[in-house]
Amino acid sequence: MELQTDICIVGAGPGGTLLAVLLAEAGVSVALVERHASVFKEFRGEHLNEDGERILEKHGVLEEVRRKGMLLMKRIEYMEQGQLVKTVVPDEGHAHVGIHVPQKHLLQALFSRLEQNPNAKLLTGVAVSRLLQDANGVVQGVVGKRGEEEIVIHSRIVVGADGRYSTVRKLAGIETDVIRHGYDLLWARIPAPEGWEPVIRMTLAGGAQLAMFTQQGGFIQIGWSIPEGAYTEMKKQPIDSLVDTLVEAYPDIAQPAREHLRSWQDFVLLKVHSSRAGSWVKDGLVIMGDAAHTMSPTGAFGLNCALNDADTLAGVLISAIAAGDTSADRLAAFERSNRVPTEALQKRQFEMEQTFAGQFGK
Ligand SMILES: Cc1cc2nc3c(=O)[nH]c(=O)nc-3n(C[C@H](O)[C@H](O)[C@H](O)COP(=O)(O)OP(=O)(O)OC[C@H]3O[C@@H](n4cnc5c(N)ncnc54)[C@H](O)[C@@H]3O)c2cc1C
C-alpha cells in the first residue's frame, strides 16, 4: 500500500491524535499511524491538570470526555502512618486539584472527530521502521509494516509523536539526554471502597513515596516509588510484606488491597526516566510529546505537555504547509515556543522529588 498526504503523524497517543484532529479540521491532509491494532493498548498517565483541561476545552474535546466519564479530584491528602497531616484543596474559583480522564474516553472522543473527517486517515497495526529521505536528508515520508504488508506514506512533513522510545527520533539521528531519577514506579489498580471520595493521597512508606489516585469508574490507582533497578530482587520475595506496608499506610483500603493484590502480576513496573532531545526538528520532520521530552511521572505533567505540544504545533504546521516551507528553520518556531517552558517543568519535577519528604514536616 502506498499513499500521499501533507502530514504523517507516527503515534496515536494523546499528543499525536489531538494534532491529527486539529490539522484535519483545518483542511490539511493527515495520516495517523499507530503500531498497535487497538490504540487503547499503551499504558499511559490519565491525570489532567488545568493546562491540559484548558486545551481540551479550547478545542471542544472536554465536553465529550465529560459525557463519557471523568472525575474531578476534590483534594490532595498527605498522610503519615495512617493519619491525615495536611490537606490541599482547590484554589479559590477552581473546582478541582486535577481530573482523572480514562485514556479510552479521551482517545475515543478524539477518534470520533477524526473518523468524520475526510482529510484524516488512521492506520492502525502499522509499525514505522524507516524514514524516506531525499539526497539532502530532507524527510519525505515513512515506511512501516502491517504484518507482511509494506506501507509507504509520502508526506511533506513527518511528526514523531511515538513516545519515550521514539523510533522516529532514532531514525532521524536526533540525540537525546536520558536523565535518571533514582527510582522506578510500581503501579496497581484496586476497586475503591464504598462511598470513597475522589481524592489524591500521598505518604512516605519506608522512606518511599506511596501515592493513591482515585479513578473514574470506582477504582484507586496506587503508584509506589521503589529504588531504581530494585524490582528484580523484590519479585523474589512474597508479596505479603508489600501489601502489609500499603495497608499500614492507608488502613481504609485494607479490604480491597488484600483481596486484589495477591501476586506480583497485580503490579506493573514503570522504568522511570526523563529525557531531552538535542533538537526537535529537521528538514521535513518534527518530534513532539514524550518523543521530544519524556517527563518523569512526578506531578503528572506528561500528558498535559503532549496536549500542549499538539496545540502549539498545529498552528506551526498549518502555516508551514500553506507557505510551502517545511524547512527545519520554519518548523523550529514550535521548539522555540515550547522547549523552555517544558524544560522548566522537568526541573520542577526534580525539585518536587527532592523536597517530597518536606511535605510531612521532616
Ligand atoms: C505509568 C505512567 C503514568 C503516568 N502518569 C501520568 C499522569 O497521571 N498525568 C500525565 O500528564 N502524564 C502521565 N504520564 C506520562 C504520559 O503518559 C505521557 O507523557 C504521554 O502519554 C505522552 O503522550 P505522547 O502522545 O507524546 O506519547 P504516548 O502516549 O507514549 O504515545 C505514543 C504512541 O506511539 C506509538 N508508537 C510507538 N512507536 C511506534 C512506531 N514505530 N510506529 C507506530 N506507532 C508507534 C505507541 O504505540 C503509542 O500509542 C504517565 C506515564 C506512565 C507510563
Side-chain angles (χ1 to χ4, degrees):
M1 178 180 163
E2 199 154 340
L3 64 97
Q4 180 86 45
T5 184
D6 284 332
I7 298 190
C8 173
I9 302 171
V10 182
T17 309
L18 176 62
L19 179 64
V21 169
L22 301 182
L23 293 173
E25 292 182 355
V28 174
S29 69
V30 57
L32 177 62
V33 188
E34 167 58 44
R35 67 178 166 185
H36 289 306
S38 159
V39 288
F40 308 120
K41 272 246 167 110
E42 200 84 0
F43 185 58
R44 299 190 178 86
E46 299 190 328
H47 271 262
L48 202 64
N49 65 24
E50 279 173 1
D51 295 335
E53 179 187 17
R54 181 182 46 76
I55 290 163
L56 294 184
E57 187 91 78
K58 172 178 164 189
H59 297 298
V61 183
L62 197 67
E63 193 43 48
E64 180 59 12
V65 173
R66 196 177 283 128
R67 215 181 51 72
K68 289 181 184 302
M70 63 185 206
L71 191 63
L72 304 190
M73 297 299 123
K74 284 189 177 172
R75 56 186 182 272
I76 305 173
E77 296 178 339
Y78 290 86
M79 316 254 312
E80 210 171 342
Q81 288 157 354
Q83 302 296 318
L84 184 65
V85 291
K86 184 165 121 189
T87 304
V88 176
V89 293
D91 292 337
E92 207 171 318
H94 295 263
H96 59 80
V97 292
I99 307 179
H100 177 243
V101 173
Q103 71 161 304
K104 198 166 183 174
H105 295 179
L106 173 57
L107 290 177
Q108 275 173 343
L110 293 170
F111 284 126
S112 62
R113 294 258 292 264
L114 267 189
E115 279 155 18
Q116 290 163 21
N117 196 302
N119 297 320
K121 210 170 195 56
L122 173 63
L123 295 123
T124 55
V126 178
V128 167
S129 55
R130 194 150 60 85
L131 293 178
L132 297 172
Q133 286 171 279
D134 72 8
N136 298 316
V138 178
V139 177
Q140 297 183 320
V142 301
V143 179
K145 277 213 155 177
R146 186 192 276 136
E148 287 308 301
E149 186 191 8
E150 188 169 80
I151 314 277
V152 181
I153 303 170
H154 301 275
S155 66
R156 296 161 77 187
I157 301 172
V158 168
V159 178
D162 51 345
R164 52 179 45 208
Y165 302 111
S166 174
T167 301
V168 171
R169 184 183 68 213
K170 284 178 206 142
L171 293 172
I174 298 174
E175 296 292 326
T176 192
D177 280 343
V178 174
I179 305 145
R180 300 275 157 214
H181 289 247
Y183 72 100
D184 292 327
L185 259 192
L186 282 179
W187 286 95
R189 200 164 89 131
I190 57 172
E194 191 81 9
W196 189 260
E197 295 232 2
V199 296
I200 297 170
R201 273 194 188 168
M202 303 279 173
T203 195
L204 275 174
Q209 256 196 58
L210 178 52
M212 269 175 43
F213 304 91
T214 311
Q215 293 195 321
Q216 193 271 344
F219 293 94
I220 292 171
Q221 187 174 32
I222 294 155
W224 204 326
S225 306
I226 60 170
E228 186 174 6
Y231 187 58
T232 314
E233 277 308 307
M234 280 178 85
K235 259 175 67 171
K236 292 180 185 161
Q237 309 300 321
I239 193 86
D240 308 32
S241 72
L242 195 77
V243 177
D244 287 345
T245 308
L246 174 64
V247 168
E248 217 170 280
Y250 300 127
D252 47 0
I253 59 159
Q255 190 275 329
R258 292 207 187 281
E259 188 179 335
H260 295 273
L261 302 176
R262 294 185 167 210
S263 84
W264 288 104
Q265 282 172 357
D266 296 321
F267 288 87
V268 174
L269 175 73
L270 167 67
K271 307 280 287 170
V272 172
H273 74 260
S274 56
S275 74
R276 287 178 204 150
S279 166
W280 295 6
V281 295
K282 278 188 76 164
D283 290 330
L285 178 136
V286 192
I287 54 173
M288 63 169 285
D290 269 18
H293 48 72
T294 305
M295 311 299 284
S296 91
T298 301
F301 294 125
L303 162 66
N304 299 276
C305 288
L307 295 175
N308 186 43
D309 279 2
D311 183 45
T312 310
L313 183 55
V316 172
L317 295 182
I318 291 163
S319 78
I321 291 291
D325 178 0
T326 63
S327 66
D329 261 5
R330 175 105 197 185
L331 303 178
F334 162 59
E335 182 172 346
R336 282 193 294 274
S337 163
N338 284 23
R339 181 187 274 274
V340 169
T342 307
E343 291 187 355
L345 275 180
Q346 288 183 321
K347 195 164 161 254
R348 203 169 129 206
Q349 291 189 307
F350 255 114
E351 286 162 5
M352 286 167 77
E353 286 163 12
Q354 274 152 18
T355 58
F356 184 74
Q359 302 288 347
F360 302 87
K362 289 189 176 159

